[in-house]
Amino acid sequence: MGRGSPIPTMLRRKIVEQYQKGVTQRKIAKTLHLSSSTVHNIIRRFRESGTISVRKGQGRKTILDARDLRALKRHCTTNRNATVKEITEWAQEYFQKPLSVNTIHRAIRRCQLKLYSAKKKPFLSKIHKLRRCHWARDHLKWSVAKWKTVLWSDESRFEVLFGNLGRHVIRTKEDKDNPSCYQRSVQKPASLMVWGCMSACGMGSLHVWKGTINAEKYIQVLEQHMLPSRRHLFQGRPCIFQQDNARPHSASITTSWLRRRRIRVLKCPVCSPDLSPVENIWRIIKRKVRQRRPKTIKQLEACIRQEWESIPISKLEKLVSSVPRRLLSVVRRRGDATQW
């Protein structure tokens, strides 16, 4: 127990109980492994005041009291993207006190706040939020069974990773220019664009793009991969095909092809990756591929296909069953981005 640390209440109560039973102070100290002076002081305070509470400390008072901390917390929650330096300048002017950056940093932690890296979410304008909210309300009546009839599809880009993992490094202050402590990055790493589809019944086909993506190539992918996946997963049962609003998807020739094939399409609102369970699949695969550290394009493609095929059906059912909760979150946030 550090110097100046108060004795726990239970231990102080035991000391007083032993004293009231007639046990000597020296024996109490030996039994509880405490110094004789500590036991003597606790008993003396009990005799004088009849209590075992700790006397209030006489240390230096904090420069910001509880009322100041509440004002600081309100300012921080209102200006969440402000730097500690900017908050310090505001606090100096607002409280009219000589405050340093370190003092404000400690005060922020006393307010139960902490600086974190912000989650990356797509920018949503007022029109985007309004359309997302309307779309969510229109589909809130759908049951989980109906969402399980949806064939979800999407594209994602995977990059070959170079250098060290993570943004943090363990080092001393003097090792900041040590080459082993640098975070290496590549300006244009080799990458792959991948298309895939899935449903609650299982994983569909996976296709790796070669070259640029246009409507003609996208139609070929639908013919060679989407249609066989639909037959395999739904066995002739009716289903709904979902795709986002990318230009190859919304092109007139793509729309005409889907109409000729009599494929019912579920179009999600723009800038809404949180409404598609496929985005969670990409996130899982990227995390696992990052751990495997592929060095070449071939290794990257092999890792993606292996991780794609290893996704269990229970995970797919869980993700698809979460769609009603996603819609409810969109409505509650009035169309803003959600945690999904």
Side-chain angles (χ1 to χ4, degrees):
M1 188 175 299
R3 182 179 178 181
S5 302
I7 303 298
T9 305
M10 294 296 296
L11 193 55
R12 281 186 272 123
R13 189 175 288 113
K14 285 183 180 180
I15 293 172
V16 173
E17 290 176 355
Q18 294 292 326
Y19 167 73
Q20 291 176 340
K21 291 179 181 179
V23 184
T24 62
Q25 295 183 16
R26 183 172 297 179
K27 191 172 182 180
I28 294 173
K30 187 176 181 181
T31 304
L32 300 178
H33 304 287
L34 298 171
S35 64
S36 299
S37 60
T38 300
V39 175
H40 174 73
N41 292 333
I42 293 175
I43 292 175
R44 185 181 64 181
R45 178 165 177 76
F46 174 74
R47 286 200 302 244
E48 293 175 354
S49 62
T51 179
I52 60 174
S53 61
V54 180
R55 186 180 287 111
K56 186 177 180 181
Q58 301 299 318
R60 178 183 175 183
K61 294 183 179 179
T62 57
I63 192 170
L64 296 177
D65 55 17
R67 183 177 181 179
D68 296 338
L69 290 179
R70 289 195 295 269
L72 178 64
K73 186 174 182 179
R74 287 195 300 269
H75 179 78
C76 291
T77 51
T78 305
N79 305 273
R80 294 186 183 273
N81 298 112
T83 62
V84 179
K85 185 178 180 181
E86 293 172 347
I87 296 174
T88 304
E89 294 174 354
W90 169 86
Q92 290 173 350
E93 182 179 356
Y94 184 83
F95 299 118
Q96 295 296 314
K97 296 178 180 179
L99 301 169
S100 65
V101 174
N102 291 334
T103 300
I104 294 300
H105 206 286
R106 290 192 298 268
I108 291 174
R109 282 182 287 184
R110 287 173 59 193
C111 295
Q112 305 298 322
L113 300 175
K114 192 176 178 181
L115 298 174
Y116 291 94
S117 298
K119 283 186 175 182
K120 292 184 178 180
K121 295 290 184 179
F123 173 77
L124 294 172
S125 64
K126 291 183 179 180
I127 296 177
H128 292 158
K129 294 179 182 179
L130 186 62
R131 291 175 179 174
R132 279 166 52 88
C133 198
H134 287 334
W135 191 90
R137 286 198 181 100
D138 292 340
H139 293 81
L140 270 177
K141 297 181 180 179
W142 283 26
S143 63
V144 175
K146 189 168 185 178
W147 285 113
K148 289 183 178 181
T149 64
V150 177
L151 180 65
W152 306 87
S153 70
D154 192 26
E155 297 92 5
S156 183
R157 183 178 297 278
F158 290 79
E159 295 180 350
V160 177
L161 301 175
F162 297 92
N164 299 324
L165 271 176
R167 297 180 293 116
H168 304 284
V169 62
I170 301 175
R171 64 170 177 83
T172 62
K173 186 176 181 180
E174 292 75 18
D175 285 338
K176 63 179 181 179
D177 290 321
N178 190 318
S180 62
C181 298
Y182 290 153
Q183 181 187 358
R184 308 288 182 172
S185 61
V186 180
Q187 291 185 352
K188 294 183 179 180
S191 61
L192 290 175
M193 180 64 75
V194 180
W195 178 93
C197 61
M198 51 79 68
S199 71
C201 307
M203 302 297 290
S205 180
L206 189 72
H207 174 71
V208 178
W209 294 99
K210 293 182 180 179
T212 58
I213 306 172
N214 52 33
E216 290 79 7
K217 291 184 178 181
Y218 180 66
I219 293 174
Q220 293 178 4
V221 171
L222 295 181
E223 290 179 344
Q224 299 173 7
H225 297 277
M226 188 274 287
L227 295 180
S229 298
R230 187 180 66 164
R231 288 193 296 267
H232 172 71
L233 294 174
F234 294 96
Q235 302 293 325
R237 299 189 302 272
C239 70
I240 306 171
F241 176 61
Q242 180 273 337
Q243 60 180 3
D244 57 24
N245 293 274
R247 288 188 178 182
H249 304 176
S250 58
S252 59
I253 58 174
T254 306
T255 306
S256 300
W257 183 88
L258 293 169
R259 192 182 301 111
R260 288 197 305 270
R261 291 281 183 167
R262 296 182 180 179
I263 297 175
R264 186 180 174 187
V265 180
L266 174 67
K267 289 187 178 181
C268 293
V270 296
C271 301
S272 301
D274 53 348
L275 296 178
S276 176
V278 190
E279 295 292 340
N280 300 86
I281 297 296
W282 294 136
R283 199 175 301 125
I284 293 171
I285 295 177
K286 286 183 178 180
R287 183 178 66 249
K288 293 183 177 180
V289 169
R290 194 180 303 117
Q291 295 171 354
R292 298 178 63 172
R293 306 293 292 170
K295 300 297 183 183
T296 63
I297 286 291
K298 289 185 178 180
Q299 293 178 3
L300 177 62
E301 182 177 350
C303 291
I304 295 172
R305 293 189 181 278
Q306 291 174 8
E307 298 299 340
W308 177 268
E309 295 173 358
S310 65
I311 301 294
I313 295 181
S314 58
K315 186 66 177 179
L316 302 177
E317 292 179 347
K318 183 177 180 181
L319 290 175
V320 174
S321 300
S322 68
V323 175
R325 296 197 300 274
R326 298 174 191 234
L327 301 180
L328 194 59
S329 298
V330 171
V331 174
R332 287 175 177 174
R333 297 197 178 193
R334 297 181 180 180
D336 209 341
T338 63
Q339 63 179 351
W340 302 93

